[in-house]
Amino acid sequence: MLTVDDLEIGFSTLHPLAGVDFSVARGEILGLVGESGSGKSMTAMSVMGLLPLIGGRVTRGSIRFEGEELTTLDEARYRRLRGGRIALITQNPMTSLDPMVRVGPQIDQGARLHLGLDARAARIRTVELMARMRIPDAARVYDLHPHQLSGGLRQRIVIAMALAGDPELLIADEPTTALDVIVQAQIVQLLVELVRERDLALMLITHDMGLVAQACDRVAVMYSGRIVESGPVAAIFEDPRHPYTRALIGCIPRPGMAEGTLAGIPGTVPSIADLPSGCRFHPRCPMAVAACRDRVPQTVAVAADHGVACLLAGAASGDAP
Amino acid sequence: MAKYAIRRLLALLPVFLVVTVIVFLLIHLVPGDPIDNLMRSGSDPAQRDALSRAYGLDRSLVEQYLAWMGHLVRGDLGTAIVQRRPVAELIGENIGYSLALGGLALAFSAIVGIVAGVTAASFQDRVADRALMSLALVGSTVPSFWLGLLMILFFAVQLGWVPVSGARHWTSVILPATTVGLAGMALVARVTRIAMIETARQDFVTLLHAKGVSRFTIQTRHLLRHALVPVLTLLSLRIGLIVGGSVTVEYVFARPGLGSLLIRAIGQRDYPVIQGSLLMLAIAVMLGTLVGDLLQAAMDPRQREDDRS
Ligand SMILES: Nc1ncnc2c1ncn2[C@@H]1O[C@H](COP(=O)(O)OP(=O)(O)O)[C@@H](O)[C@H]1O
Ligand SMILES: [Mg+2]
């Protein structure tokens, strides 16, 4: 359904994405995972065609949606796609809704724009959709303002808003990061159910490998603007080939662990203004050899639908931590 | 909302009391009195005392204040000492001109300012934005007095489009209103622009784009609504300046109005007229500010105190 191929984006001279490849099929949940700063949100903004909004542009590669090239699509047609066929859910439900507008009409907007419903029909549909999001007393909540709702309820509103235009592809950018653990689980379960019952495609962006294991079918691991490993969730967890993937799996958050740290691997994602040569992970990689500093690793298939971009991919096989 | 409005209105009562004291003291503490303006110099001191007594000017300030307040609460503004007509009548003759001038100046500040601000924000960092913001900078720094004179020279004297002064034709209000409203207009433009740009960076605006809402709709419906909140604050703060500005501009343009009435009455130390017209100006400022606050509360659900969930 969605195929991203060698995508590079630019902000003046900086390139937050430098050759990103992945694809999502209908009915599939793809986890896009990586530490903060690796370029996940940039990928989401690229697919939504919203880079110009933050001052960026696609400089290379392609984004194909149902066979249609999006990188060269004109704005008027892109607008019909947004909300109508591809929808976005953002991280922070406290800031994702217009504080001055009642929540119901914020959901209506999508149905009115993309399904051509009038105000009354849109309202009826919105209340149904809100009830489907397990929002109690939906008809009353329709008329409330965002500040009168809890974070969990607001995120359900944001999801309803995304579904209002009946999209086929859902991009959820860390949809649960800002919520507490119990609400997180409920929201993830809701998203999975919606994907199954509506045969959607979901791109679930997260930095939490535990969430990937729990909810996703396939996973693409991102580091510093590149996909370093991708494949079916089972294959990746059984046989992770990239040292970064292993570190991520090793750092599935457990109680008592400092947030955002990689087990055994200190440091952070490099700044896009000061990128290391060769493999961008080599300064932090416990297995790096001299060649890693000079050669950019190409993605190689180590199994069917399992690709790794690591010079040591073959050698590293089988000695998972 | 209605409860909130009533509470805010009641809160103005003590302010109003303080204002009456200030209005009263302001003129009574200035040397000279209205009797000087009634009599020629060198006239009979006994006659002077008699007049003073007749107008109660021989009593203590406290007594005079209480007497004035006593009439005021019954809706009686008293009678002009020098002009010898009811103050209410004098104010009635003039207030229309002032309302027209102040209202138009306010509308000019608001409408032209908001349109300029939205336009600048839509063309952020491009030529139209730079040009509008340079103009706004000039508009808010040039003294309005000087600008008023320049405009008289150009539009009235040179081009003859509008009258130089007075208020005989409706077009005569254009130059004074522009003069009074210009600085406010420039400020409104700048505040509108920056509020639109700041709001555009928020997550919910990204989601509006992601929903497929057009850029134009986002600008004019969603961002503008947010920008109007600080703009309303600014405008209700400007009301005092507009009222004050109107007083001097009426004088410059030789227009009738509360300002002209006040200035003439000050020259004559005509206490009841000064007190009455100052009070009207103060009420205009208080009510204007109140209306601004209420509009703002009506627009922003987070500020509505009695908005229950
Ligand atoms: N507006 C911007 N202009 C230029 N660079 C940006 C901008 N926003 C984010 N970046 C950079 O892009 C990189 C990827 O960011 P992002 O996609 O937000 O990461 P993630 O979502 O994975 O945490 C980071 O290095 C970040 O510093
Ligand atoms: Mg992000």
Side-chain angles (χ1 to χ4, degrees):
Chain A
M1 173 175 269
L2 177 76
T3 308
V4 172
D5 190 23
D6 193 28
L7 179 67
E8 181 191 78
I9 65 168
F11 284 76
S12 61
T13 59
L14 301 175
H15 298 277
L17 300 184
V20 168
D21 307 275
F22 67 90
S23 64
V24 199
R26 187 178 293 278
E28 181 179 80
I29 303 180
L30 172 79
L32 185 62
V33 63
E35 286 166 284
S36 171
S38 44
K40 306 181 299 291
S41 297
M42 288 294 168
T43 308
M45 290 298 270
S46 307
V47 176
M48 292 305 296
L50 293 177
L51 284 180
L53 209 60
I54 49 174
R57 66 194 188 286
V58 173
T59 47
R60 196 181 71 217
S62 87
I63 303 170
R64 297 181 76 78
F65 175 72
E66 295 283 51
E68 190 171 20
E69 179 59 46
L70 300 188
T71 53
T72 52
L73 198 66
D74 66 81
E75 175 60 21
R77 293 180 62 201
Y78 221 133
R79 221 168 63 215
R80 280 201 289 278
L81 220 63
R82 287 186 208 118
R85 300 187 68 192
I86 309 178
L88 180 69
I89 297 166
T90 44
Q91 171 172 353
N92 190 345
M94 297 314 189
T95 55
S96 305
L97 295 166
D98 188 333
M100 290 176 70
V101 181
R102 289 174 298 137
V103 295
Q106 299 197 46
I107 303 173
D108 290 351
Q109 210 169 16
R112 299 183 65 170
L113 271 172
H114 299 289
L115 309 179
L117 299 188
D118 61 21
R120 267 194 59 217
R123 185 186 174 116
I124 292 167
R125 198 184 121 90
T126 293
V127 174
E128 278 170 17
L129 205 52
M130 286 166 71
R132 177 63 195 90
M133 299 300 127
R134 299 210 188 85
I135 295 171
D137 210 358
R140 189 183 65 88
V141 175
Y142 181 97
D143 286 311
L144 298 184
H145 282 96
H147 74 276
Q148 296 169 301
L149 304 176
S150 68
L153 272 184
R154 288 194 214 190
Q155 196 60 316
R156 286 168 202 270
I157 300 283
V158 173
I159 297 172
M161 201 160 82
L163 290 174
D166 228 353
E168 298 149 67
L169 170 66
L170 219 51
I171 301 176
D173 190 352
E174 314 224 19
T176 61
T177 306
L179 304 170
D180 69 59
V181 188
I182 293 168
V183 183
Q184 266 186 22
Q186 291 168 349
I187 295 285
V188 169
Q189 196 200 342
L190 178 64
L191 281 171
V192 173
E193 277 172 31
L194 290 166
V195 169
R196 303 301 177 224
E197 81 186 28
R198 290 167 188 240
D199 200 25
L200 305 174
L202 172 64
M203 196 173 128
L204 182 62
I205 296 176
T206 176
H207 57 254
D208 177 0
M209 268 296 195
L211 183 59
V212 172
Q214 180 196 338
C216 300
D217 306 310
R218 287 174 58 249
V219 56
V221 180
M222 189 164 209
Y223 185 80
S224 187
R226 287 180 184 149
I227 303 296
V228 295
E229 182 161 12
S230 68
V233 167
I236 300 282
F237 274 83
E238 271 161 35
D239 186 15
R241 299 299 185 92
H242 200 288
Y244 183 63
T245 312
R246 290 183 194 164
L248 281 180
I249 293 174
C251 92
I252 288 176
R254 278 179 287 265
M257 220 173 87
E259 207 176 310
T261 54
L262 278 188
I265 302 188
T268 54
V269 179
S271 148
I272 51 168
D274 184 23
L275 291 167
S277 62
C279 172
R280 290 180 178 181
F281 188 56
H282 86 258
R284 296 171 72 191
C285 184
M287 307 172 72
V289 297
C292 298
R293 198 174 310 153
D294 309 316
R295 282 172 49 206
V296 176
Q298 298 303 303
T299 305
V300 293
V302 291
D305 191 33
H306 183 172
V308 186
C310 174
L311 295 177
L312 308 168
S317 170
D319 52 3
Chain B
M1 193 70 217
K3 249 198 294 177
Y4 177 62
I6 291 169
R7 202 159 57 232
R8 290 295 313 265
L9 200 59
L10 288 179
L12 280 183
L13 276 181
V15 181
F16 181 78
L17 266 180
V18 174
V19 166
T20 59
V21 174
I22 294 172
V23 159
F24 181 84
L25 283 182
L26 261 176
I27 193 59
H28 281 85
L29 294 180
V30 174
D33 70 33
I35 310 302
D36 297 336
N37 291 289
L38 283 177
M39 311 193 62
R40 282 202 203 95
S41 55
S43 47
D44 181 8
Q47 200 183 340
R48 220 197 115 81
D49 289 347
L51 267 174
S52 237
R53 249 193 316 282
Y55 289 108
L57 298 177
D58 57 334
R59 289 188 281 168
S60 75
L61 278 186
V62 176
E63 279 176 297
Q64 288 190 49
Y65 172 76
L66 289 177
W68 178 56
M69 278 306 282
H71 285 106
L72 193 62
V73 293
R74 274 174 268 140
D76 179 10
L77 287 168
T79 306
I81 297 173
V82 181
Q83 304 194 42
R84 297 177 197 216
R85 291 172 57 202
V87 173
E89 211 178 285
L90 287 170
I91 287 175
E93 274 167 18
N94 285 285
I95 197 166
Y97 294 106
S98 292
L99 282 177
L101 174 57
L104 220 64
L106 189 66
F108 172 72
S109 293
I111 296 168
V112 180
I114 288 169
V115 169
V118 170
T119 311
S122 308
F123 295 96
Q124 190 191 345
D125 295 333
R126 281 185 275 167
V127 183
D129 178 25
R130 296 260 155 78
L132 279 168
M133 283 307 109
S134 311
L135 280 179
L137 191 67
V138 173
S140 56
T141 45
V142 165
S144 61
F145 218 97
W146 182 68
L147 198 88
L149 290 173
L150 274 188
M151 286 200 300
I152 293 179
L153 276 179
F154 189 67
F155 292 107
V157 177
Q158 203 78 26
L159 295 174
W161 287 356
V162 291
V164 175
S165 65
R168 267 178 291 280
H169 194 257
W170 69 268
T171 52
S172 65
V173 76
I174 295 175
L175 287 190
T178 313
T179 308
V180 176
L182 191 89
M185 186 274 276
L187 267 179
V188 167
R190 290 161 69 184
V191 169
T192 305
R193 173 185 178 272
I194 207 73
M196 300 260 302
I197 292 172
E198 291 289 316
T199 312
R201 293 208 184 100
Q202 294 190 28
D203 284 355
F204 77 84
V205 181
T206 305
L207 275 196
L208 282 171
H209 286 283
K211 280 198 274 187
V213 182
S214 74
R215 223 180 101 86
F216 182 76
T217 309
I218 291 175
Q219 291 271 354
T220 52
R221 293 246 197 88
H222 300 270
L223 298 186
L224 180 57
R225 193 169 168 182
H226 283 259
L228 284 183
V229 176
V231 167
L232 272 175
T233 311
L234 175 68
L235 283 174
S236 61
L237 289 174
R238 294 293 302 180
I239 286 174
L241 288 172
I242 286 180
V243 168
S246 300
V247 172
T248 44
V249 165
E250 275 176 3
Y251 184 74
V252 171
F253 284 84
R255 264 179 75 80
L258 288 183
S260 298
L261 179 69
L262 175 66
I263 289 175
R264 185 157 17 106
I266 290 174
Q268 299 169 335
R269 299 286 185 278
D270 201 337
Y271 295 157
V273 181
I274 298 169
Q275 287 159 196
S277 41
L278 269 181
L279 207 56
M280 285 300 134
L281 296 176
I283 289 173
V285 174
M286 288 195 294
L287 286 186
T289 310
L290 177 69
V291 169
D293 283 1
L294 290 179
L295 278 178
Q296 204 184 333
M299 281 185 54
D300 189 346
R302 288 161 298 183
Q303 291 193 19
R304 246 173 282 158
E305 288 164 52
D306 59 347
D307 193 339
R308 275 176 293 264
S309 62

